[in-house]
Amino acid sequence: MIPNARIEEAAYTIMGKAAIEIPEDYRTGIRGMLEKEENELSRFVLMSMIDNWEAAEQDRRAMCADTGVPRYYVKVGNEARLDGGFIGLEHALRSATARATRDVPLRPNRVHPLSRQDNNNNVGINAPEIEYSFEPDADWIDVTTVHKGGLFGTDYRMLFPGDGIDGIKKFFLDVMVQFGRRGLACQPAIVGIGLGGSKDTAMVLGKQAACLRAVGDANPDPEIAKLEQELKDLGNSIGMGPMGFVGTSMVVDCHIEVGYTHTGGMPMSVHSFCLSSRRATARVHADGRIEYRTDPKWFTPYMRREGIEWCADAALHAAE
Amino acid sequence: MTLKSARLRLPVETSDLEPLEIGTVVYLDGIVYTGREGLYKKIDEGVMPPVDLASLGNANFHCSPAASVGDDGTYNLGAVTATASFRFSRFLPKFFEISKAKLILGKGGMSEQDYRDHFVPNGAIYLTTVGYGTGALLGRGIKRVRDVHWLKELGIAQAVWVLEVENFGPFLVESDLRGRSLFEQSNRETLDGIERVYAGLKFPALRRYGETVNRDDEVI
């Protein structure tokens, strides 16, 4: 039985960790880009960011004052039992958000979209968002928080099968350039792409691909992994770098997630997770133990439905 | 090539800004005050701030801090990061008139048109933050919160924070006194590469309403 109080503690802790500690995979990725970058202005930006992450960790202050719209991704083991139930869990996540907003502090970014009412705690209607997934043969829950801004760097487009890889590349470039100029996307970014599903699925998959996969991680499907590498290289060959200066540092990594889609369409989304790619995960075990990490491990084989009721026959007989 | 660097004492005189070329790295000492949608909109609606902005110095930062206010009224200020400035373009004439600002600090700059029309006549320049997430470095440069105005009316994120800063930066000179823009210069320098990566890619079957095909255009 997982104690609700431990979930609250874990959620509170990852709020601070995400805001202050840059994930090591991202830092390594940016250092690699700095080695290749030749433009003086672009190099200055990358070096300033590396200095900034060190300052954040030394001072225990947020690395970026735009602490985004803090939200949660929760993966629940099929065998996990929560002593407060899911309502208790959601209460704990709201409480942890409000406490961390005051204590870290985070910027209270969350306001009512029309009245602009600010509760000064990042909690409100549909805030923080909580998304769920499940995992077989596990009795833990993973709570991940992501702090992502979100005014720029994301776009959606309905493509059609006839648009092919050209259409994908062109839309990818559109987003890189339109938000890359002046560095509105705060690049170099982890670029996540959602392909397929319905419009909303494509948006959700792309966001998760950007925020919940570490730099260096490749899609297990070799064809998709090849496209990830191609798009990453394409983005870095534009001749544009950080802040839209001349350079080669646009895309730290590219992650693509797919979903089966309408036979007539190919919806696509592109999301840029910025120079302050903030994510942190806590695993709360059945005995209340908490383990912290920076790789959310969200896209498990089960999540991608690998080997699960693929063919029509198996799906038809699944109920028997 | 090595970047030039400068340190400015606030408030500045226009003559201090004379030698600053676009692309120069700048650090600041003195007083800056924050202001974004909340402040600009109120001024636009004819509601004057509770304090004479010109008395706060002449450096306005398009920013809001990650901060909290304790029960005893003390401020806990962590990081500070700029917000994108292009959104405030239409408020500039009135703002310059009442603030007498000489330095605008923010994210992403404004257009060369804005610089020519509003900054140059006021002897003002624009400094952009770097990255844009150097919130911890900028937070380090804040020595004290001198005052906060309109906290109750606008909330923590939109209030006018008056900050005493020391070695506050880094910033880059985005516009100079002649109204030239580092970003627009970069746009021109990157355009050939952009044309090259698009070469041969077909347009999708479904265009977007009003879609431009000119890659010289910006979306701001």
Side-chain angles (χ1 to χ4, degrees):
Chain A
M1 194 69 93
I2 299 174
N4 207 52
R6 296 295 282 165
I7 296 174
E8 208 270 356
E9 184 194 327
Y12 174 80
T13 305
I14 56 174
M15 277 276 153
K17 282 179 168 290
I20 293 166
E21 300 164 15
I22 193 75
E24 210 46 50
D25 58 276
Y26 187 79
R27 193 197 313 253
T28 305
I30 291 296
R31 283 193 178 134
M33 299 203 94
L34 178 60
E35 277 173 31
K36 291 186 193 151
E37 183 59 70
E38 290 178 358
N39 180 275
E40 202 66 35
L41 280 165
S42 289
R43 288 181 58 81
F44 177 71
V45 178
L46 296 179
M47 289 188 286
S48 298
M49 293 311 302
I50 291 170
D51 289 348
N52 184 65
W53 296 327
E54 281 170 14
E57 282 164 19
Q58 284 164 9
D59 297 3
R60 300 307 294 170
R61 66 170 90 229
M63 66 181 88
C64 178
D66 185 349
T67 48
V69 280
R71 60 189 294 163
Y72 294 99
Y73 295 88
V74 176
K75 193 182 283 296
V76 186
N78 196 40
E79 269 62 65
R81 298 293 174 266
L82 317 180
D83 78 352
F86 284 92
I87 303 298
L89 165 78
E90 296 202 330
H91 181 77
L93 298 187
R94 282 195 297 275
S95 145
T97 304
R99 287 206 300 130
T101 298
R102 181 195 60 201
D103 295 346
V104 174
L106 307 177
R107 191 204 282 165
N109 269 340
R110 291 281 198 168
V111 301
H112 188 284
L114 291 173
S115 72
R116 314 309 291 182
Q117 156 75 27
D118 192 339
N119 299 327
N120 280 334
N121 61 7
N122 281 314
V123 177
I125 301 170
N126 279 317
E129 294 90 346
I130 305 168
E131 283 182 53
Y132 295 94
S133 68
F134 305 95
E135 190 64 12
D137 307 318
D139 62 357
W140 40 254
I141 75 164
D142 274 356
V143 182
T144 296
T145 186
V146 167
H147 297 180
K148 182 181 182 301
L151 306 187
F152 311 107
T154 296
D155 210 347
Y156 162 82
R157 187 157 195 165
M158 178 57 81
L159 297 170
F160 297 93
D163 296 329
I165 297 292
D166 257 20
I168 292 172
K169 285 186 177 169
K170 189 186 162 299
F171 180 50
F172 172 80
L173 285 173
D174 289 346
V175 180
M176 291 302 103
V177 174
Q178 72 190 354
F179 297 116
R181 284 207 169 118
R182 296 169 189 264
L184 291 181
C186 299
Q187 72 266 14
I190 304 174
V191 179
I193 291 173
L195 264 186
S198 53
K199 286 175 179 151
D200 55 331
T201 317
M203 283 303 280
V204 168
L205 283 175
K207 172 109 180 193
Q208 294 182 353
C211 301
L212 301 175
R213 284 176 55 190
V215 174
D217 176 52
N219 191 293
D221 180 324
E223 284 303 310
I224 297 173
K226 198 173 127 220
L227 186 58
E228 290 179 334
Q229 186 63 43
E230 248 181 88
L231 292 180
K232 177 184 167 183
D233 294 342
L234 183 65
N236 289 331
S237 72
I238 297 170
M240 187 185 285
M243 295 178 76
F245 298 145
V246 172
T248 53
S249 314
M250 277 297 271
V251 184
V252 188
D253 210 352
C254 176
H255 296 145
I256 302 175
E257 291 299 326
V258 302
Y260 271 44
T261 190
H262 191 289
T263 183
M266 188 169 64
M268 170 169 169
S269 75
V270 181
H271 302 250
S272 307
F273 200 15
C274 62
L275 270 165
S276 301
S277 284
R278 290 152 294 175
R279 52 173 142 75
T281 301
R283 176 165 294 180
V284 188
H285 291 275
D287 59 7
R289 248 178 334 115
I290 306 172
E291 291 172 298
Y292 296 100
R293 61 179 199 267
T294 54
D295 181 353
K297 297 183 181 149
W298 179 255
F299 287 100
T300 60
Y302 175 76
M303 184 77 186
R304 291 193 179 105
R305 304 296 190 265
E306 286 170 22
I308 297 166
E309 290 121 23
W310 278 113
C311 69
D313 270 3
L316 279 174
H317 296 131
E320 290 170 10
Chain B
M1 174 185 116
T2 327
L3 301 180
K4 290 183 180 167
S5 186
R7 205 156 158 174
L8 291 180
R9 171 141 290 283
L10 303 169
V12 292
E13 299 291 333
T14 297
S15 58
D16 301 332
L17 310 179
E18 204 72 58
L20 296 181
E21 295 168 19
I22 55 175
T24 303
V25 181
V26 173
Y27 291 84
L28 304 172
D29 300 281
I31 302 284
V32 303
Y33 63 93
T34 70
R36 50 187 296 172
E37 298 91 325
L39 174 69
Y40 284 124
K41 268 185 78 179
K42 276 204 183 278
I43 293 173
D44 196 49
E45 290 159 3
V47 184
M48 284 301 119
V51 58
D52 175 18
L53 290 181
S55 75
L56 301 177
N58 56 15
N60 173 221
F61 194 7
H62 292 158
C63 133
S64 41
S68 56
V69 182
D71 295 334
D72 57 356
T74 55
Y75 308 112
N76 177 12
L77 198 145
V80 279
T81 312
T83 195
S85 299
F86 71 86
R87 297 172 285 164
F88 312 132
S89 166
R90 68 191 181 91
F91 302 119
L92 282 177
K94 218 166 183 177
F95 180 75
F96 273 121
E97 189 189 316
I98 68 161
S99 73
K100 314 288 183 220
K102 297 268 182 230
L103 285 180
I104 301 283
L105 324 173
K107 169 180 175 178
M110 301 174 100
S111 68
E112 279 186 342
Q113 185 78 44
D114 284 330
Y115 297 139
R116 281 195 297 269
D117 293 350
H118 307 301
F119 283 67
V120 174
N122 287 293
I125 67 168
Y126 183 102
L127 303 181
T128 178
T129 50
V130 174
Y132 298 90
T134 56
L137 290 177
L138 292 169
R140 258 187 189 181
I142 293 173
K143 292 301 149 198
R144 202 168 74 89
V145 177
R146 180 172 281 194
D147 222 337
V148 188
H149 300 286
W150 266 343
L151 183 60
K152 200 161 155 242
E153 293 80 355
L154 298 174
I156 288 172
Q158 297 282 344
V160 179
W161 292 74
V162 185
L163 309 169
E164 288 180 18
V165 302
E166 188 184 307
N167 204 18
F168 187 52
F171 296 92
L172 285 168
V173 177
E174 141 66 1
S175 81
D176 61 14
L177 281 178
R178 280 178 287 171
R180 291 184 307 182
S181 156
L182 176 64
F183 287 122
E184 295 205 16
Q185 177 182 295
S186 300
N187 287 350
R188 291 187 284 270
E189 289 169 348
T190 50
L191 196 58
D192 282 352
I194 291 168
E195 290 299 338
R196 190 172 29 77
V197 286
Y198 271 100
L201 294 178
K202 296 186 299 284
F203 270 88
L206 180 69
R207 301 279 179 96
R208 286 170 163 186
Y209 181 70
E211 185 170 65
T212 175
V213 292
N214 182 2
R215 294 199 191 92
D216 206 359
D217 288 347
E218 291 190 75
V219 293
I220 67 165

